[in-house]
Amino acid sequence: MSGDKRSRTGMARVLIAVVFLAVPIPPVSSADSTVSSGALDGMSFVGKLGPSGEALDRDDILFFRDGQFWSKGCVLCGFQPGAYFARHANGGIEFQGVLESIERGRLSYSGTVRDGRVSARINWRKDRWYWSIDKAFWFEGTLGEGIEASSAEEAARLASVADSAPQDCRL
């Protein structure tokens, strides 16, 4: 193959790749997906939190309202309410969401609500230039009857004024 023909073949491949990358991929519409926000809105779960594989030794309440979720204990540690996404699956509602704190990192929740009970895995990640925290926790609770959640805005306000090392924060 001559150098001129190789050059044209190479250019054709580049052109095809550029055209492929330039074609927009249509977004998935909500009708195409079982994922939604707000499926757990209005629910609160009273339970206990603890390091993965250890005893659940800390009282906590997990709130869902207006497409946001937050933990009473995590708000005291400066974690802001975050959006959550849920889907109906396996006879329950599976959810995921992230709570973030400027000072303390991020908590990634993944859980299931079934028959008035919640079970969630939580990963706490905080990166620093010289070391990182990467710890696993879990939360189990039951539907809290009559527990009224404050608004996500009120929880965010409480998180923003939380002491950087409050007595009640035991992560």
PDB file of all heavy atoms in Angstrom, residues 128-167:
ATOM      1  N   ARG A 128      -7.988  13.412  51.264  1.00  0.00           N
ATOM      2  CA  ARG A 128      -7.052  14.489  51.600  1.00  0.00           C
ATOM      3  C   ARG A 128      -5.802  14.250  50.779  1.00  0.00           C
ATOM      4  O   ARG A 128      -5.599  13.173  50.233  1.00  0.00           O
ATOM      5  CB  ARG A 128      -6.729  14.476  53.087  1.00  0.00           C
ATOM      6  CG  ARG A 128      -7.961  14.760  53.925  1.00  0.00           C
ATOM      7  CD  ARG A 128      -7.562  15.161  55.284  1.00  0.00           C
ATOM      8  NE  ARG A 128      -8.749  15.548  56.025  1.00  0.00           N
ATOM      9  CZ  ARG A 128      -8.695  16.199  57.137  1.00  0.00           C
ATOM     10  NH1 ARG A 128      -7.547  16.539  57.658  1.00  0.00           N
ATOM     11  NH2 ARG A 128      -9.791  16.526  57.766  1.00  0.00           N
ATOM     12  N   TRP A 129      -4.943  15.201  50.722  1.00  0.00           N
ATOM     13  CA  TRP A 129      -3.757  15.042  49.886  1.00  0.00           C
ATOM     14  C   TRP A 129      -2.798  13.997  50.443  1.00  0.00           C
ATOM     15  O   TRP A 129      -2.039  13.394  49.708  1.00  0.00           O
ATOM     16  CB  TRP A 129      -3.057  16.378  49.657  1.00  0.00           C
ATOM     17  CG  TRP A 129      -2.392  16.951  50.878  1.00  0.00           C
ATOM     18  CD1 TRP A 129      -2.947  17.757  51.808  1.00  0.00           C
ATOM     19  CD2 TRP A 129      -1.047  16.746  51.282  1.00  0.00           C
ATOM     20  NE1 TRP A 129      -2.056  18.070  52.787  1.00  0.00           N
ATOM     21  CE2 TRP A 129      -0.854  17.463  52.478  1.00  0.00           C
ATOM     22  CE3 TRP A 129       0.038  16.031  50.765  1.00  0.00           C
ATOM     23  CZ2 TRP A 129       0.354  17.483  53.156  1.00  0.00           C
ATOM     24  CZ3 TRP A 129       1.238  16.063  51.443  1.00  0.00           C
ATOM     25  CH2 TRP A 129       1.385  16.790  52.627  1.00  0.00           C
ATOM     26  N   TYR A 130      -2.861  13.716  51.738  1.00  0.00           N
ATOM     27  CA  TYR A 130      -1.903  12.781  52.324  1.00  0.00           C
ATOM     28  C   TYR A 130      -2.532  11.485  52.836  1.00  0.00           C
ATOM     29  O   TYR A 130      -1.824  10.565  53.197  1.00  0.00           O
ATOM     30  CB  TYR A 130      -1.114  13.457  53.454  1.00  0.00           C
ATOM     31  CG  TYR A 130      -1.983  14.083  54.520  1.00  0.00           C
ATOM     32  CD1 TYR A 130      -2.336  13.392  55.660  1.00  0.00           C
ATOM     33  CD2 TYR A 130      -2.455  15.384  54.371  1.00  0.00           C
ATOM     34  CE1 TYR A 130      -3.136  13.958  56.628  1.00  0.00           C
ATOM     35  CE2 TYR A 130      -3.259  15.963  55.341  1.00  0.00           C
ATOM     36  CZ  TYR A 130      -3.592  15.248  56.467  1.00  0.00           C
ATOM     37  OH  TYR A 130      -4.385  15.817  57.414  1.00  0.00           O
ATOM     38  N   TRP A 131      -3.844  11.379  52.885  1.00  0.00           N
ATOM     39  CA  TRP A 131      -4.512  10.145  53.288  1.00  0.00           C
ATOM     40  C   TRP A 131      -6.001  10.253  52.955  1.00  0.00           C
ATOM     41  O   TRP A 131      -6.512  11.320  52.674  1.00  0.00           O
ATOM     42  CB  TRP A 131      -4.330   9.842  54.771  1.00  0.00           C
ATOM     43  CG  TRP A 131      -4.819  10.934  55.697  1.00  0.00           C
ATOM     44  CD1 TRP A 131      -4.123  12.018  56.104  1.00  0.00           C
ATOM     45  CD2 TRP A 131      -6.114  11.053  56.289  1.00  0.00           C
ATOM     46  NE1 TRP A 131      -4.894  12.800  56.924  1.00  0.00           N
ATOM     47  CE2 TRP A 131      -6.132  12.237  57.059  1.00  0.00           C
ATOM     48  CE3 TRP A 131      -7.260  10.277  56.251  1.00  0.00           C
ATOM     49  CZ2 TRP A 131      -7.243  12.656  57.770  1.00  0.00           C
ATOM     50  CZ3 TRP A 131      -8.368  10.701  56.973  1.00  0.00           C
ATOM     51  CH2 TRP A 131      -8.335  11.879  57.720  1.00  0.00           C
ATOM     52  N   SER A 132      -6.681   9.134  53.004  1.00  0.00           N
ATOM     53  CA  SER A 132      -8.114   9.098  52.724  1.00  0.00           C
ATOM     54  C   SER A 132      -8.816   8.248  53.772  1.00  0.00           C
ATOM     55  O   SER A 132      -8.249   7.300  54.293  1.00  0.00           O
ATOM     56  CB  SER A 132      -8.396   8.504  51.344  1.00  0.00           C
ATOM     57  OG  SER A 132      -7.899   9.326  50.342  1.00  0.00           O
ATOM     58  N   ILE A 133     -10.056   8.620  54.042  1.00  0.00           N
ATOM     59  CA  ILE A 133     -10.935   7.793  54.870  1.00  0.00           C
ATOM     60  C   ILE A 133     -11.869   7.078  53.910  1.00  0.00           C
ATOM     61  O   ILE A 133     -12.441   7.695  53.019  1.00  0.00           O
ATOM     62  CB  ILE A 133     -11.770   8.658  55.836  1.00  0.00           C
ATOM     63  CG1 ILE A 133     -10.875   9.371  56.847  1.00  0.00           C
ATOM     64  CG2 ILE A 133     -12.826   7.808  56.540  1.00  0.00           C
ATOM     65  CD1 ILE A 133     -11.612  10.395  57.691  1.00  0.00           C
ATOM     66  N   ASP A 134     -12.021   5.787  54.081  1.00  0.00           N
ATOM     67  CA  ASP A 134     -12.958   5.008  53.280  1.00  0.00           C
ATOM     68  C   ASP A 134     -13.526   3.938  54.212  1.00  0.00           C
ATOM     69  O   ASP A 134     -12.906   2.896  54.409  1.00  0.00           O
ATOM     70  CB  ASP A 134     -12.246   4.388  52.080  1.00  0.00           C
ATOM     71  CG  ASP A 134     -13.211   3.905  51.020  1.00  0.00           C
ATOM     72  OD1 ASP A 134     -14.441   4.021  51.208  1.00  0.00           O
ATOM     73  OD2 ASP A 134     -12.737   3.403  49.991  1.00  0.00           O
ATOM     74  N   LYS A 135     -14.666   4.240  54.831  1.00  0.00           N
ATOM     75  CA  LYS A 135     -15.261   3.340  55.815  1.00  0.00           C
ATOM     76  C   LYS A 135     -16.681   2.966  55.406  1.00  0.00           C
ATOM     77  O   LYS A 135     -17.408   3.772  54.845  1.00  0.00           O
ATOM     78  CB  LYS A 135     -15.321   4.008  57.194  1.00  0.00           C
ATOM     79  CG  LYS A 135     -13.987   4.186  57.855  1.00  0.00           C
ATOM     80  CD  LYS A 135     -14.163   4.710  59.269  1.00  0.00           C
ATOM     81  CE  LYS A 135     -12.841   4.839  59.990  1.00  0.00           C
ATOM     82  NZ  LYS A 135     -13.022   5.320  61.352  1.00  0.00           N
ATOM     83  N   ALA A 136     -17.062   1.761  55.748  1.00  0.00           N
ATOM     84  CA  ALA A 136     -18.405   1.260  55.463  1.00  0.00           C
ATOM     85  C   ALA A 136     -19.231   1.249  56.750  1.00  0.00           C
ATOM     86  O   ALA A 136     -18.744   0.872  57.812  1.00  0.00           O
ATOM     87  CB  ALA A 136     -18.326  -0.137  54.872  1.00  0.00           C
ATOM     88  N   PHE A 137     -20.491   1.678  56.617  1.00  0.00           N
ATOM     89  CA  PHE A 137     -21.458   1.678  57.715  1.00  0.00           C
ATOM     90  C   PHE A 137     -22.732   1.021  57.229  1.00  0.00           C
ATOM     91  O   PHE A 137     -22.902   0.775  56.037  1.00  0.00           O
ATOM     92  CB  PHE A 137     -21.778   3.117  58.159  1.00  0.00           C
ATOM     93  CG  PHE A 137     -20.633   3.820  58.829  1.00  0.00           C
ATOM     94  CD1 PHE A 137     -19.676   4.490  58.080  1.00  0.00           C
ATOM     95  CD2 PHE A 137     -20.519   3.815  60.208  1.00  0.00           C
ATOM     96  CE1 PHE A 137     -18.626   5.133  58.696  1.00  0.00           C
ATOM     97  CE2 PHE A 137     -19.459   4.461  60.837  1.00  0.00           C
ATOM     98  CZ  PHE A 137     -18.513   5.120  60.070  1.00  0.00           C
ATOM     99  N   TRP A 138     -23.640   0.760  58.146  1.00  0.00           N
ATOM    100  CA  TRP A 138     -24.954   0.273  57.782  1.00  0.00           C
ATOM    101  C   TRP A 138     -25.985   0.874  58.706  1.00  0.00           C
ATOM    102  O   TRP A 138     -25.681   1.307  59.813  1.00  0.00           O
ATOM    103  CB  TRP A 138     -24.995  -1.239  57.727  1.00  0.00           C
ATOM    104  CG  TRP A 138     -24.677  -1.990  59.000  1.00  0.00           C
ATOM    105  CD1 TRP A 138     -23.602  -1.803  59.822  1.00  0.00           C
ATOM    106  CD2 TRP A 138     -25.416  -3.062  59.572  1.00  0.00           C
ATOM    107  NE1 TRP A 138     -23.626  -2.684  60.860  1.00  0.00           N
ATOM    108  CE2 TRP A 138     -24.740  -3.473  60.733  1.00  0.00           C
ATOM    109  CE3 TRP A 138     -26.572  -3.712  59.208  1.00  0.00           C
ATOM    110  CZ2 TRP A 138     -25.189  -4.507  61.535  1.00  0.00           C
ATOM    111  CZ3 TRP A 138     -27.020  -4.749  60.010  1.00  0.00           C
ATOM    112  CH2 TRP A 138     -26.334  -5.141  61.151  1.00  0.00           C
ATOM    113  N   PHE A 139     -27.200   0.939  58.219  1.00  0.00           N
ATOM    114  CA  PHE A 139     -28.328   1.503  58.965  1.00  0.00           C
ATOM    115  C   PHE A 139     -29.505   0.567  58.774  1.00  0.00           C
ATOM    116  O   PHE A 139     -29.755   0.100  57.666  1.00  0.00           O
ATOM    117  CB  PHE A 139     -28.671   2.892  58.427  1.00  0.00           C
ATOM    118  CG  PHE A 139     -29.919   3.480  59.044  1.00  0.00           C
ATOM    119  CD1 PHE A 139     -29.865   4.106  60.274  1.00  0.00           C
ATOM    120  CD2 PHE A 139     -31.143   3.407  58.391  1.00  0.00           C
ATOM    121  CE1 PHE A 139     -31.011   4.653  60.851  1.00  0.00           C
ATOM    122  CE2 PHE A 139     -32.290   3.945  58.955  1.00  0.00           C
ATOM    123  CZ  PHE A 139     -32.225   4.569  60.185  1.00  0.00           C
ATOM    124  N   GLU A 140     -30.201   0.298  59.873  1.00  0.00           N
ATOM    125  CA  GLU A 140     -31.441  -0.463  59.810  1.00  0.00           C
ATOM    126  C   GLU A 140     -32.480   0.258  60.638  1.00  0.00           C
ATOM    127  O   GLU A 140     -32.166   0.758  61.731  1.00  0.00           O
ATOM    128  CB  GLU A 140     -31.248  -1.894  60.309  1.00  0.00           C
ATOM    129  CG  GLU A 140     -30.443  -2.725  59.349  1.00  0.00           C
ATOM    130  CD  GLU A 140     -30.506  -4.213  59.649  1.00  0.00           C
ATOM    131  OE1 GLU A 140     -31.153  -4.615  60.633  1.00  0.00           O
ATOM    132  OE2 GLU A 140     -29.886  -4.961  58.878  1.00  0.00           O
ATOM    133  N   GLY A 141     -33.701   0.345  60.097  1.00  0.00           N
ATOM    134  CA  GLY A 141     -34.742   1.036  60.822  1.00  0.00           C
ATOM    135  C   GLY A 141     -36.124   0.626  60.370  1.00  0.00           C
ATOM    136  O   GLY A 141     -36.292  -0.140  59.422  1.00  0.00           O
ATOM    137  N   THR A 142     -37.096   1.161  61.105  1.00  0.00           N
ATOM    138  CA  THR A 142     -38.500   0.900  60.787  1.00  0.00           C
ATOM    139  C   THR A 142     -39.192   2.229  60.534  1.00  0.00           C
ATOM    140  O   THR A 142     -38.766   3.286  61.006  1.00  0.00           O
ATOM    141  CB  THR A 142     -39.211   0.163  61.936  1.00  0.00           C
ATOM    142  OG1 THR A 142     -39.089   0.941  63.127  1.00  0.00           O
ATOM    143  CG2 THR A 142     -38.615  -1.214  62.156  1.00  0.00           C
ATOM    144  N   LEU A 143     -40.283   2.138  59.797  1.00  0.00           N
ATOM    145  CA  LEU A 143     -41.065   3.318  59.457  1.00  0.00           C
ATOM    146  C   LEU A 143     -41.488   4.022  60.740  1.00  0.00           C
ATOM    147  O   LEU A 143     -42.060   3.396  61.634  1.00  0.00           O
ATOM    148  CB  LEU A 143     -42.281   2.902  58.637  1.00  0.00           C
ATOM    149  CG  LEU A 143     -43.072   3.985  57.943  1.00  0.00           C
ATOM    150  CD1 LEU A 143     -42.202   4.785  56.976  1.00  0.00           C
ATOM    151  CD2 LEU A 143     -44.236   3.362  57.177  1.00  0.00           C
ATOM    152  N   GLY A 144     -41.155   5.290  60.840  1.00  0.00           N
ATOM    153  CA  GLY A 144     -41.474   6.072  62.026  1.00  0.00           C
ATOM    154  C   GLY A 144     -42.873   6.642  61.940  1.00  0.00           C
ATOM    155  O   GLY A 144     -43.118   7.520  61.112  1.00  0.00           O
ATOM    156  N   GLU A 145     -43.754   6.133  62.740  1.00  0.00           N
ATOM    157  CA  GLU A 145     -45.131   6.620  62.754  1.00  0.00           C
ATOM    158  C   GLU A 145     -45.201   7.965  63.455  1.00  0.00           C
ATOM    159  O   GLU A 145     -44.697   8.119  64.570  1.00  0.00           O
ATOM    160  CB  GLU A 145     -46.045   5.612  63.464  1.00  0.00           C
ATOM    161  CG  GLU A 145     -46.103   4.256  62.796  1.00  0.00           C
ATOM    162  CD  GLU A 145     -46.725   4.293  61.414  1.00  0.00           C
ATOM    163  OE1 GLU A 145     -47.631   5.116  61.169  1.00  0.00           O
ATOM    164  OE2 GLU A 145     -46.296   3.495  60.562  1.00  0.00           O
ATOM    165  N   GLY A 146     -45.792   8.947  62.804  1.00  0.00           N
ATOM    166  CA  GLY A 146     -46.004  10.250  63.426  1.00  0.00           C
ATOM    167  C   GLY A 146     -44.768  11.127  63.534  1.00  0.00           C
ATOM    168  O   GLY A 146     -44.803  12.160  64.186  1.00  0.00           O
ATOM    169  N   ILE A 147     -43.658  10.732  62.929  1.00  0.00           N
ATOM    170  CA  ILE A 147     -42.459  11.569  62.963  1.00  0.00           C
ATOM    171  C   ILE A 147     -42.522  12.511  61.778  1.00  0.00           C
ATOM    172  O   ILE A 147     -42.488  12.085  60.626  1.00  0.00           O
ATOM    173  CB  ILE A 147     -41.168  10.725  62.905  1.00  0.00           C
ATOM    174  CG1 ILE A 147     -41.069   9.868  64.153  1.00  0.00           C
ATOM    175  CG2 ILE A 147     -39.946  11.619  62.743  1.00  0.00           C
ATOM    176  CD1 ILE A 147     -39.875   8.966  64.172  1.00  0.00           C
ATOM    177  N   GLU A 148     -42.620  13.770  62.050  1.00  0.00           N
ATOM    178  CA  GLU A 148     -42.708  14.787  61.004  1.00  0.00           C
ATOM    179  C   GLU A 148     -41.318  15.314  60.693  1.00  0.00           C
ATOM    180  O   GLU A 148     -40.622  15.796  61.592  1.00  0.00           O
ATOM    181  CB  GLU A 148     -43.627  15.932  61.453  1.00  0.00           C
ATOM    182  CG  GLU A 148     -43.819  17.004  60.413  1.00  0.00           C
ATOM    183  CD  GLU A 148     -44.526  16.518  59.151  1.00  0.00           C
ATOM    184  OE1 GLU A 148     -45.361  15.599  59.245  1.00  0.00           O
ATOM    185  OE2 GLU A 148     -44.236  17.072  58.079  1.00  0.00           O
ATOM    186  N   ALA A 149     -40.929  15.199  59.457  1.00  0.00           N
ATOM    187  CA  ALA A 149     -39.621  15.706  59.046  1.00  0.00           C
ATOM    188  C   ALA A 149     -39.684  17.213  58.879  1.00  0.00           C
ATOM    189  O   ALA A 149     -40.670  17.750  58.405  1.00  0.00           O
ATOM    190  CB  ALA A 149     -39.210  15.064  57.725  1.00  0.00           C
ATOM    191  N   SER A 150     -38.618  17.876  59.289  1.00  0.00           N
ATOM    192  CA  SER A 150     -38.499  19.282  58.948  1.00  0.00           C
ATOM    193  C   SER A 150     -38.263  19.338  57.437  1.00  0.00           C
ATOM    194  O   SER A 150     -38.128  18.318  56.782  1.00  0.00           O
ATOM    195  CB  SER A 150     -37.325  19.906  59.706  1.00  0.00           C
ATOM    196  OG  SER A 150     -36.128  19.264  59.351  1.00  0.00           O
ATOM    197  N   SER A 151     -38.188  20.500  56.882  1.00  0.00           N
ATOM    198  CA  SER A 151     -37.924  20.609  55.455  1.00  0.00           C
ATOM    199  C   SER A 151     -36.448  20.361  55.172  1.00  0.00           C
ATOM    200  O   SER A 151     -35.597  20.461  56.060  1.00  0.00           O
ATOM    201  CB  SER A 151     -38.318  22.003  54.962  1.00  0.00           C
ATOM    202  OG  SER A 151     -37.450  22.971  55.525  1.00  0.00           O
ATOM    203  N   ALA A 152     -36.151  20.051  53.925  1.00  0.00           N
ATOM    204  CA  ALA A 152     -34.753  19.880  53.518  1.00  0.00           C
ATOM    205  C   ALA A 152     -33.996  21.192  53.711  1.00  0.00           C
ATOM    206  O   ALA A 152     -32.816  21.179  54.065  1.00  0.00           O
ATOM    207  CB  ALA A 152     -34.687  19.427  52.061  1.00  0.00           C
ATOM    208  N   GLU A 153     -34.684  22.311  53.523  1.00  0.00           N
ATOM    209  CA  GLU A 153     -34.041  23.616  53.720  1.00  0.00           C
ATOM    210  C   GLU A 153     -33.636  23.813  55.179  1.00  0.00           C
ATOM    211  O   GLU A 153     -32.561  24.321  55.463  1.00  0.00           O
ATOM    212  CB  GLU A 153     -34.961  24.762  53.273  1.00  0.00           C
ATOM    213  CG  GLU A 153     -35.212  24.826  51.784  1.00  0.00           C
ATOM    214  CD  GLU A 153     -36.268  23.829  51.305  1.00  0.00           C
ATOM    215  OE1 GLU A 153     -37.070  23.309  52.137  1.00  0.00           O
ATOM    216  OE2 GLU A 153     -36.285  23.546  50.098  1.00  0.00           O
ATOM    217  N   GLU A 154     -34.490  23.412  56.105  1.00  0.00           N
ATOM    218  CA  GLU A 154     -34.167  23.529  57.533  1.00  0.00           C
ATOM    219  C   GLU A 154     -33.012  22.599  57.891  1.00  0.00           C
ATOM    220  O   GLU A 154     -32.113  22.970  58.634  1.00  0.00           O
ATOM    221  CB  GLU A 154     -35.399  23.222  58.394  1.00  0.00           C
ATOM    222  CG  GLU A 154     -35.149  23.244  59.884  1.00  0.00           C
ATOM    223  CD  GLU A 154     -34.707  24.603  60.433  1.00  0.00           C
ATOM    224  OE1 GLU A 154     -34.861  25.633  59.755  1.00  0.00           O
ATOM    225  OE2 GLU A 154     -34.191  24.626  61.567  1.00  0.00           O
ATOM    226  N   ALA A 155     -33.016  21.374  57.355  1.00  0.00           N
ATOM    227  CA  ALA A 155     -31.917  20.440  57.606  1.00  0.00           C
ATOM    228  C   ALA A 155     -30.607  20.991  57.033  1.00  0.00           C
ATOM    229  O   ALA A 155     -29.558  20.890  57.668  1.00  0.00           O
ATOM    230  CB  ALA A 155     -32.229  19.075  56.997  1.00  0.00           C
ATOM    231  N   ALA A 156     -30.668  21.620  55.865  1.00  0.00           N
ATOM    232  CA  ALA A 156     -29.467  22.219  55.258  1.00  0.00           C
ATOM    233  C   ALA A 156     -28.947  23.361  56.115  1.00  0.00           C
ATOM    234  O   ALA A 156     -27.736  23.523  56.289  1.00  0.00           O
ATOM    235  CB  ALA A 156     -29.779  22.705  53.847  1.00  0.00           C
ATOM    236  N   ARG A 157     -29.859  24.145  56.677  1.00  0.00           N
ATOM    237  CA  ARG A 157     -29.447  25.251  57.549  1.00  0.00           C
ATOM    238  C   ARG A 157     -28.744  24.700  58.794  1.00  0.00           C
ATOM    239  O   ARG A 157     -27.685  25.180  59.187  1.00  0.00           O
ATOM    240  CB  ARG A 157     -30.654  26.100  57.965  1.00  0.00           C
ATOM    241  CG  ARG A 157     -30.262  27.359  58.738  1.00  0.00           C
ATOM    242  CD  ARG A 157     -31.452  28.064  59.348  1.00  0.00           C
ATOM    243  NE  ARG A 157     -32.086  27.288  60.414  1.00  0.00           N
ATOM    244  CZ  ARG A 157     -31.558  27.083  61.624  1.00  0.00           C
ATOM    245  NH1 ARG A 157     -30.390  27.575  61.932  1.00  0.00           N
ATOM    246  NH2 ARG A 157     -32.203  26.384  62.537  1.00  0.00           N
ATOM    247  N   LEU A 158     -29.301  23.657  59.387  1.00  0.00           N
ATOM    248  CA  LEU A 158     -28.678  23.041  60.563  1.00  0.00           C
ATOM    249  C   LEU A 158     -27.303  22.466  60.226  1.00  0.00           C
ATOM    250  O   LEU A 158     -26.360  22.591  61.000  1.00  0.00           O
ATOM    251  CB  LEU A 158     -29.579  21.950  61.135  1.00  0.00           C
ATOM    252  CG  LEU A 158     -30.865  22.415  61.809  1.00  0.00           C
ATOM    253  CD1 LEU A 158     -31.745  21.221  62.152  1.00  0.00           C
ATOM    254  CD2 LEU A 158     -30.560  23.236  63.043  1.00  0.00           C
ATOM    255  N   ALA A 159     -27.185  21.840  59.062  1.00  0.00           N
ATOM    256  CA  ALA A 159     -25.906  21.268  58.654  1.00  0.00           C
ATOM    257  C   ALA A 159     -24.862  22.361  58.434  1.00  0.00           C
ATOM    258  O   ALA A 159     -23.691  22.183  58.764  1.00  0.00           O
ATOM    259  CB  ALA A 159     -26.070  20.438  57.386  1.00  0.00           C
ATOM    260  N   SER A 160     -25.296  23.502  57.897  1.00  0.00           N
ATOM    261  CA  SER A 160     -24.334  24.568  57.592  1.00  0.00           C
ATOM    262  C   SER A 160     -23.795  25.251  58.850  1.00  0.00           C
ATOM    263  O   SER A 160     -22.722  25.846  58.802  1.00  0.00           O
ATOM    264  CB  SER A 160     -24.951  25.595  56.649  1.00  0.00           C
ATOM    265  OG  SER A 160     -25.998  26.288  57.284  1.00  0.00           O
ATOM    266  N   VAL A 161     -24.507  25.145  59.964  1.00  0.00           N
ATOM    267  CA  VAL A 161     -24.024  25.756  61.202  1.00  0.00           C
ATOM    268  C   VAL A 161     -23.484  24.715  62.188  1.00  0.00           C
ATOM    269  O   VAL A 161     -23.136  25.045  63.305  1.00  0.00           O
ATOM    270  CB  VAL A 161     -25.119  26.617  61.898  1.00  0.00           C
ATOM    271  CG1 VAL A 161     -25.539  27.760  61.010  1.00  0.00           C
ATOM    272  CG2 VAL A 161     -26.305  25.773  62.318  1.00  0.00           C
ATOM    273  N   ALA A 162     -23.407  23.450  61.730  1.00  0.00           N
ATOM    274  CA  ALA A 162     -22.909  22.386  62.610  1.00  0.00           C
ATOM    275  C   ALA A 162     -21.447  22.646  62.950  1.00  0.00           C
ATOM    276  O   ALA A 162     -20.656  23.050  62.110  1.00  0.00           O
ATOM    277  CB  ALA A 162     -23.048  21.024  61.926  1.00  0.00           C
ATOM    278  N   ASP A 163     -21.130  22.411  64.187  1.00  0.00           N
ATOM    279  CA  ASP A 163     -19.747  22.515  64.654  1.00  0.00           C
ATOM    280  C   ASP A 163     -18.910  21.489  63.892  1.00  0.00           C
ATOM    281  O   ASP A 163     -19.369  20.386  63.610  1.00  0.00           O
ATOM    282  CB  ASP A 163     -19.728  22.228  66.155  1.00  0.00           C
ATOM    283  CG  ASP A 163     -18.370  22.400  66.793  1.00  0.00           C
ATOM    284  OD1 ASP A 163     -17.407  22.757  66.098  1.00  0.00           O
ATOM    285  OD2 ASP A 163     -18.281  22.175  68.001  1.00  0.00           O
ATOM    286  N   SER A 164     -17.686  21.824  63.553  1.00  0.00           N
ATOM    287  CA  SER A 164     -16.857  20.896  62.780  1.00  0.00           C
ATOM    288  C   SER A 164     -16.501  19.630  63.566  1.00  0.00           C
ATOM    289  O   SER A 164     -16.111  18.632  62.984  1.00  0.00           O
ATOM    290  CB  SER A 164     -15.588  21.588  62.304  1.00  0.00           C
ATOM    291  OG  SER A 164     -14.826  22.008  63.405  1.00  0.00           O
ATOM    292  N   ALA A 165     -16.623  19.658  64.886  1.00  0.00           N
ATOM    293  CA  ALA A 165     -16.380  18.460  65.696  1.00  0.00           C
ATOM    294  C   ALA A 165     -17.380  18.400  66.851  1.00  0.00           C
ATOM    295  O   ALA A 165     -17.019  18.437  68.010  1.00  0.00           O
ATOM    296  CB  ALA A 165     -14.956  18.476  66.241  1.00  0.00           C
ATOM    297  N   PRO A 166     -18.683  18.324  66.527  1.00  0.00           N
ATOM    298  CA  PRO A 166     -19.674  18.327  67.607  1.00  0.00           C
ATOM    299  C   PRO A 166     -19.619  17.052  68.440  1.00  0.00           C
ATOM    300  O   PRO A 166     -19.174  16.005  67.975  1.00  0.00           O
ATOM    301  CB  PRO A 166     -21.007  18.418  66.845  1.00  0.00           C
ATOM    302  CG  PRO A 166     -20.726  17.821  65.520  1.00  0.00           C
ATOM    303  CD  PRO A 166     -19.292  18.154  65.217  1.00  0.00           C
ATOM    304  N   GLN A 167     -20.077  17.174  69.666  1.00  0.00           N
ATOM    305  CA  GLN A 167     -20.118  16.027  70.584  1.00  0.00           C
ATOM    306  C   GLN A 167     -20.955  14.868  70.008  1.00  0.00           C
ATOM    307  O   GLN A 167     -20.629  13.721  70.190  1.00  0.00           O
ATOM    308  CB  GLN A 167     -20.716  16.450  71.933  1.00  0.00           C
ATOM    309  CG  GLN A 167     -19.881  17.447  72.672  1.00  0.00           C
ATOM    310  CD  GLN A 167     -18.711  16.793  73.388  1.00  0.00           C
ATOM    311  OE1 GLN A 167     -18.421  15.619  73.182  1.00  0.00           O
ATOM    312  NE2 GLN A 167     -18.023  17.541  74.219  1.00  0.00           N
TER     313      GLN A 167
END
